[in-house]
């Protein structure tokens, strides 16, 4: 262990001071050529006088040291100068001492020495090329990161920032050095620190884990900015060993979205009041016309009633979406009979959907903890969609079954179906299938988005199994243990 530690220490020292092309290039050019010559001459004197030629191999070992030292100080060119001067010194000052005893062998050693010296020089030249390429790649990457509109930072496993790129100045107003050593949580809105810590712990649990985030961070002026980005666990990557964040300022986008949602919420509220009043007047007119026996007029009023009902449903959907986005959609949780709730919804559709046959299969299940009205809303949406998108497929099957710790409600139709590539998007807000004929199926694309949110609030899951042209089976699950 101690040997490995010593090796790592020496390697780090060599890379920092010796094999460092940047430091070598800053040293005076004259010294990079004078020092190898001086070192070779001093070594020659040491070999000839104090050591007094005690061995045939001693000069070569000493000159290898000179070459290595010269390469570390001045690079491959210094090593080449040291190699040539060392060879000359051996030939001029030392070779004649070995002419009488093994002169031929010593001459052969000189040749081998020169070859090995040139190989060492070539090796250092290769190291320089590799370092140059590595340095170029690093500078290119750093330039891309520093000039990017997105921010980039690295933190240790405790969430303390160890590197922050220059773009943080445009995003949050800080200089990079002002954030070094600062915990990320120091910038996060107090209401969001707990949720952030939970997500951060999940990131730490798995190497290579990646997760997106949307947080409010405080800028240098003390204002809260919406920051969106991605965090990656790269602690076990030997070249990084950090948690890596890339992020961008999306405050303007969030504010625009909030303004749009506020407008939709206000407009929906303002529209709902007169439409509700209009619906009431239509129902009164129906009663008067019914008493007078004006059946034809009643048919027209009935159609008007259905259109006002549809309009009210659309307004309710828009209001629910704005409440979901603001976290204001109300829930009243409690134990209820799910089979009975499903049966009530199915019976209501049977009374109005005369063109479809709706079957129901249930099995005994214990009471479920949830909001009965919200679950009815989810099921109403699924059955309503099944009727809407299966005009020529009269059979709709509703099934309640248990799967492990969950109860699963399924709604199957024989309609137009959903292509595989679109199935992940259909639960998105305002999404309308691209394969639908234009102006054929009306709607805002909000029903499934609302249904998915309701199911998530009940700690359940929701999905679909379908093929284009072969109908669809939507399902959602609720935990039986509440």
């Amino acid at each position: 262990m101690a040997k490995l530690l010593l090796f790592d220490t020496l390697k780090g020292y060599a890379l920092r001071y010796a094999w460092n092309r940047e430091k070598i290039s800053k040293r005076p050019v004259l010294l990079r050529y004078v020092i190898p010559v001086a070192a070779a001459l001093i070594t020659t004197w040491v070999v000839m006088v104090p050591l007094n030629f005690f061995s045939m191999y001693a000069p070569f070992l000493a000159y290898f040291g000179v070459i290595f030292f010269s390469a570390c100080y001045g690079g491959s060119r210094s090593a080449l100068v040291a190699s040539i001067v060392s060879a000359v010194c051996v030939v001029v000052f030392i070779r004649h001492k070995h002419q009488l005893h093994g002169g031929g062998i010593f001459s052969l050693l000189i040749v081998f020495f020169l070859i090995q010296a040139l190989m060492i020089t070539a090796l250092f030249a290769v190291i320089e090329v590799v370092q140059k390429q590595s340095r170029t790649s690093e500078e290119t990457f750093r330039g891309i990161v520093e000039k990017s509109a997105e921010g980039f930072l690295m933190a240790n496993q405790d969430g303390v920032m160890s590197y922050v790129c220059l773009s943080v100045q445009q995003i949050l107003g800080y200089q990079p050095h002002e954030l070094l050593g600062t915990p990320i949580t120091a910038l996060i809105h107090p209401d969001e620190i707990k949720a952030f810590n939970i997500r951060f712990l999940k990131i730490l649990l798995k190497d290579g884990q990646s997760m997106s985030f949307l947080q409010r961070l405080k800028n240098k002026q003390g204002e809260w900015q919406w920051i969106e980005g991605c965090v990656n666990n790269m602690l076990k990557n030997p070249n990084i060993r950090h948690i890596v964040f890339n992020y961008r300022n999306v405050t303007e986008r969030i504010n625009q979205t909030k303004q749009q949602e506020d407008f939709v919420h206000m407009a929906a509220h303002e529209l709902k009041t007169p439409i509700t009043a209009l619906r009431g007047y239509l129902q009164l007119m129906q009663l008067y016309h019914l008493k007078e026996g004006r059946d034809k007029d009643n048919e027209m009023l009935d159609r008007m009633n259905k259109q006002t009902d549809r309009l009210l449903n659309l307004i309710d959907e828009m209001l629910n979406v704005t409440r979901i986005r603001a976290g204001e959609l109300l829930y009243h949780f409690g134990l209820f009979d799910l089979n009975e709730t499903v049966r009530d919804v199915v019976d209501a559709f049977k009374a109005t959907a005369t063109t479809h046959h709706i079957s129901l299969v249930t099995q005994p299940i214990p009471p479920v903890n949830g909001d009965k009205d919200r679950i009815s809303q989810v099921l109403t949406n699924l059955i309503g969609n099944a009727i809407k998108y299966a005009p020529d497929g009269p059979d709709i099957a509703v099934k309640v079954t248990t799967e492990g710790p969950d109860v699963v409600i399924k709604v199957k139709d024989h309609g137009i179906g959903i292509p595989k590539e679109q199935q992940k998007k259909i639960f998105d807000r305002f999404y309308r299938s691209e394969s639908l004929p234009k102006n054929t199926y009306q709607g805002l694309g909000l029903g499934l988005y609302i249904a998915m949110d309701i199911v998530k609030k009940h700690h359940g899951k929701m999905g679909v199994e379908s093929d284009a042209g072969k109908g669809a089976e939507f399902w959602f699950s609720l935990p039986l243990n509440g």
Side-chain angles (χ1 to χ4, degrees):
M1 188 69 182
K3 290 181 178 180
L4 288 174
L5 184 61
L6 177 62
F7 174 76
D8 288 340
T9 303
L10 291 174
K11 182 177 73 171
Y13 180 85
L15 290 172
R16 192 177 300 111
Y17 298 105
W19 300 338
N20 190 314
R21 190 174 183 275
E22 185 178 356
K23 289 185 178 294
I24 288 174
S25 63
K26 292 179 180 179
R27 289 167 183 154
V29 177
L30 183 61
L31 285 180
R32 282 190 280 170
Y33 293 108
V34 170
I35 286 179
V37 174
L41 294 175
I42 292 171
T43 300
T44 302
W45 179 82
V46 170
V47 170
M48 292 177 64
V49 180
L51 297 181
N52 196 23
F53 306 100
F54 73 89
S55 169
M56 182 183 297
Y57 303 103
F60 300 111
L61 294 175
Y63 287 129
F64 277 130
V66 170
I67 295 168
F68 188 81
F69 167 77
S70 300
C72 291
Y73 180 82
S76 58
R77 293 183 180 181
S78 295
L80 179 61
V81 171
S83 301
I84 295 172
V85 173
S86 297
V88 171
C89 288
V90 170
V91 172
V92 174
F93 299 109
I94 300 175
R95 182 172 175 271
H96 69 278
K97 284 286 187 179
H98 298 277
Q99 286 288 1
L100 299 176
H101 305 286
I105 295 176
F106 193 78
S107 298
L108 190 61
L109 287 176
I110 294 174
V111 175
F112 284 148
F113 164 75
L114 188 58
I115 293 172
Q116 292 172 355
L118 293 175
M119 290 178 65
I120 292 174
T121 302
L123 176 61
F124 274 93
V126 171
I127 291 174
E128 288 178 353
V129 171
V130 172
Q131 282 190 338
K132 182 179 179 181
Q133 292 175 343
S134 176
R135 184 68 179 174
T136 301
S137 299
E138 181 182 346
E139 289 176 353
T140 301
F141 175 74
R142 185 178 294 273
I144 293 172
V145 170
E146 300 291 1
K147 300 298 181 182
S148 172
E150 290 197 1
F152 179 85
L153 67 84
M154 294 193 295
N156 62 19
Q157 60 184 8
D158 297 321
V160 177
M161 290 177 275
S162 56
Y163 170 79
V164 182
C165 74
L166 285 173
S167 54
V168 72
Q169 187 174 359
Q170 284 75 39
I171 297 174
L172 293 174
Y174 297 98
Q175 293 291 338
H177 68 271
E178 294 177 319
L179 296 177
L180 296 180
T182 304
I184 296 174
T185 50
L187 302 177
I188 295 175
H189 194 282
D191 296 342
E192 300 170 5
I193 290 177
K194 183 178 179 180
F196 172 81
N197 286 334
I198 292 173
R199 290 199 301 271
F200 192 77
L201 285 173
K202 289 180 179 179
I203 286 288
L204 293 177
L205 290 175
K206 187 175 180 182
D207 179 46
Q209 179 83 351
S210 178
M211 191 179 296
S212 59
F213 65 89
L214 178 64
Q215 303 279 166
R216 283 178 290 176
L217 270 63
K218 185 185 291 184
N219 64 12
K220 195 171 182 177
Q221 291 73 38
E223 300 168 342
W224 294 108
Q225 303 290 307
W226 282 102
I227 303 298
E228 179 185 66
C230 184
V231 54
N232 299 277
N233 181 355
M234 306 189 78
L235 288 170
K236 292 189 178 180
N237 186 313
N239 298 317
I240 300 176
R241 299 187 184 280
H242 281 84
I243 304 294
V244 179
F245 293 79
N246 65 286
Y247 56 94
R248 66 198 71 86
N249 192 330
V250 293
T251 304
E252 185 177 350
R253 189 190 78 195
I254 296 294
N255 289 339
Q256 288 178 351
T257 301
K258 189 176 185 306
Q259 290 173 0
Q260 292 170 358
E261 290 173 353
D262 289 344
F263 172 78
V264 170
H265 188 78
M266 180 183 67
H269 262 297
E270 293 298 322
L271 286 170
K272 188 170 184 178
T273 302
I275 292 172
T276 303
L278 178 61
R279 185 169 179 272
Y281 286 126
L282 285 172
Q283 290 174 346
L284 284 174
M285 288 180 66
Q286 276 186 303
L287 289 174
Y288 290 140
H289 286 216
L290 188 63
K291 289 179 181 179
E292 296 175 4
R294 298 165 65 176
D295 295 336
K296 290 185 178 180
D297 290 347
N298 264 335
E299 288 180 10
M300 291 171 45
L301 289 172
D302 189 52
R303 291 177 184 176
M304 293 171 68
N305 244 330
K306 289 180 179 179
Q307 292 303 314
T308 54
D309 286 342
R310 178 174 169 273
L311 192 55
L312 283 171
N313 287 335
L314 292 176
I315 291 172
D316 284 336
E317 284 187 351
M318 288 192 291
L319 286 172
N320 283 334
V321 167
T322 57
R323 289 168 185 151
I324 288 171
R325 301 285 290 180
E328 297 174 353
L329 191 64
L330 298 178
Y331 291 88
H332 302 284
F333 283 84
L335 293 175
F336 69 97
D337 187 334
L338 181 62
N339 280 334
E340 182 183 346
T341 301
V342 173
R343 193 175 294 110
D344 288 344
V345 174
V346 170
D347 289 343
F349 273 103
K350 283 182 177 180
T352 57
T354 56
T355 58
H356 290 74
H357 174 260
I358 304 174
S359 63
L360 173 62
V361 176
T362 63
Q363 68 178 68
I365 56 171
V368 174
N369 183 33
D371 187 321
K372 176 181 177 180
D373 293 333
R374 294 298 180 193
I375 295 303
S376 295
Q377 184 179 346
V378 173
L379 187 58
T380 298
N381 178 268
L382 296 185
I383 297 177
N385 283 348
I387 293 171
K388 182 194 298 185
Y389 296 112
D392 299 324
D395 294 323
I396 295 173
V398 180
K399 186 176 182 181
V400 180
T401 183
T402 55
E403 294 183 6
D406 299 328
V407 57
V408 181
I409 300 93
K410 301 178 180 179
V411 178
K412 183 177 178 60
D413 64 56
H414 300 278
I416 61 175
I418 305 165
K420 294 288 186 184
E421 64 274 10
Q422 296 181 26
Q423 291 178 15
K424 289 184 178 180
K425 303 177 184 177
I426 59 173
F427 297 100
D428 294 344
R429 188 173 52 146
F430 296 118
Y431 181 78
R432 299 275 291 162
S433 177
E434 298 169 2
S435 60
L436 292 177
K438 289 185 178 181
N439 304 321
T440 304
Y441 300 99
Q442 298 175 336
L444 297 175
L446 295 174
L448 289 176
Y449 170 79
I450 296 169
M452 174 66 86
D453 189 79
I454 293 172
V455 172
K456 284 182 177 179
K457 286 293 190 296
H458 285 76
H459 307 290
K461 297 179 181 178
M462 190 172 189
V464 62
E465 296 176 6
S466 177
D467 287 304
K470 297 182 180 180
E473 182 178 69
F474 281 85
W475 60 270
F476 67 95
S477 64
L478 302 172
L480 283 171
N481 55 13

